[in-house]
């Protein structure tokens, strides 16, 4: 095997490149709208629940029909997976989802919980008058 | 490769596979690393596959990758097998290309980072396909990319410093006469 250095100047380029790509991909998340958050829960590709998170008062819990079992909890403006009957609990570790584009996925159960934000005053009119 | 050398290679591949599996089991004991996206691990077993890619050969490295994936499958299920295999194959392929190329200008750190990034991209692709949500690339991808930068830095550096030990282990088993 050829002698390889620990750190070459090309390594610095690699570091800069991945930081730049990550930053560019993160920009939409930073400028996302958190005025009105909609949570969408899909099981095996089918939407089972769409909730406007800001309209939730108190705590709402939901058990999803899937194997392994997945349980979600919703509070005003946020949603999280509180329990999953699997080994790694990656979706539970995602914690509260409370911003545009946030997402928790349980691969074994094929459950996707995603949060989308739309500006409150765009798209949907508050009142329609004649 | 004569029969004796083949036997010695198989023995070494067995040992390296066991070391890779032990490392991935060890890091599965680490809970969530603060500041890291959930599921992101240091990828210490990549040290073993990178060593194999650089000093052994293609089939030896592919075998270690497969052994890792089978271990993940047996202990954590089919999804773990698929993510481990896809990520492993992608990162192994890149490690083989970089470490065996004659005009590679990258250091251990750069190679470690690129392998870690490829590993994560492979796993993310499987996650996207299995869950049917390509949005994962933008929501989870950037965090995984940054995590890969840190973990690749770590694994590349460790590889550099344990290279003498791994070489010694190789010479102990493969006697070139």
């Amino acid at each position: 095997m050829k002698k390889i250095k620990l750190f070459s100047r090309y390594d610095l380029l690699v570091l800069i490149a991945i930081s730049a790509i990550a930053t560019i991909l993160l920009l939409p998340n930073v400028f996302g709208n958190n005025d009105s958050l909609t949570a969408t829960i899909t099981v095996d590709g089918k939407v089972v629940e769409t909730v406007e998170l800001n309209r939730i008062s108190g705590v709402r819990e939901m058990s999803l029909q899937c194997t392994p079992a997945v349980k979600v909890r919703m509070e005003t403006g946020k949603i999280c997976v509180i329990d999953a009957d699997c080994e790694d609990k990656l979706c539970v570790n995602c914690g509260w989802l409370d911003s545009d584009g946030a997402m928790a996925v349980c691969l074994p159960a094929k459950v996707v919980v995603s949060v989308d934000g739309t500006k409150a005053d765009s798209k949907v009119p508050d009142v329609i008058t004649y | 490769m004569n029969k004796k050398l083949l036997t010695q290679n198989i023995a070494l591949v067995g040992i390296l596979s066991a070391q890779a599996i032990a490392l991935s089991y060890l890091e599965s004991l680490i809970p969530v690393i603060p500041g890291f996206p959930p599921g992101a691990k240091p990828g210490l077993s990549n040290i073993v596959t990178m060593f194999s890619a650089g000093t052994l050969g293609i089939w030896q490295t592919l075998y270690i990758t497969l052994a890792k994936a089978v271990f993940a499958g047996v202990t954590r299920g089919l999804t773990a097998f698929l993510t481990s295999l896809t990520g492993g194959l992608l990162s192994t392929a890149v490690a083989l290309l970089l470490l065996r190329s004659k005009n590679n200008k990258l250091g251990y750190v750069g190679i470690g980072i690129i392998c870690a990034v490829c590993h994560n991209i492979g796993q993310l692709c499987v996650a996207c396909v299995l869950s049917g949500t390509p949005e994962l690339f933008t929501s989870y991808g950037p965090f995984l990319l940054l995590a890969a930068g840190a973990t690749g830095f770590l694994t590349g550096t460790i590889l550099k410093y344990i290279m003498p030990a791994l070489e010694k282990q190789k010479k102990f088993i493969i006697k070139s006469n």
Side-chain angles (χ1 to χ4, degrees), chain A residues 51-61 74-78:
Chain A
V51 193
E52 278 191 49
L53 290 176
N54 291 343
R55 293 198 179 168
I56 290 177
S57 49
V59 181
R60 199 180 138 195
E61 282 188 8
M74 289 163 253
E75 285 178 25
T76 316
K78 57 188 182 176

Side-chain angles (χ1 to χ4, degrees), chain B residues 18-62:
Chain B
Q19 286 167 340
I21 288 170
L23 284 173
S24 39
Y25 173 70
L26 258 179
E27 64 185 18
S28 76
L29 299 177
I30 304 171
V32 184
I33 306 166
F36 271 62
K41 300 205 186 78
L44 295 176
S45 59
N46 268 2
I47 298 169
V48 179
T49 45
M50 283 192 288
F51 167 78
S52 169
T55 54
L56 296 179
I58 296 173
W59 69 264
Q60 292 93 330
T61 314
L62 287 178

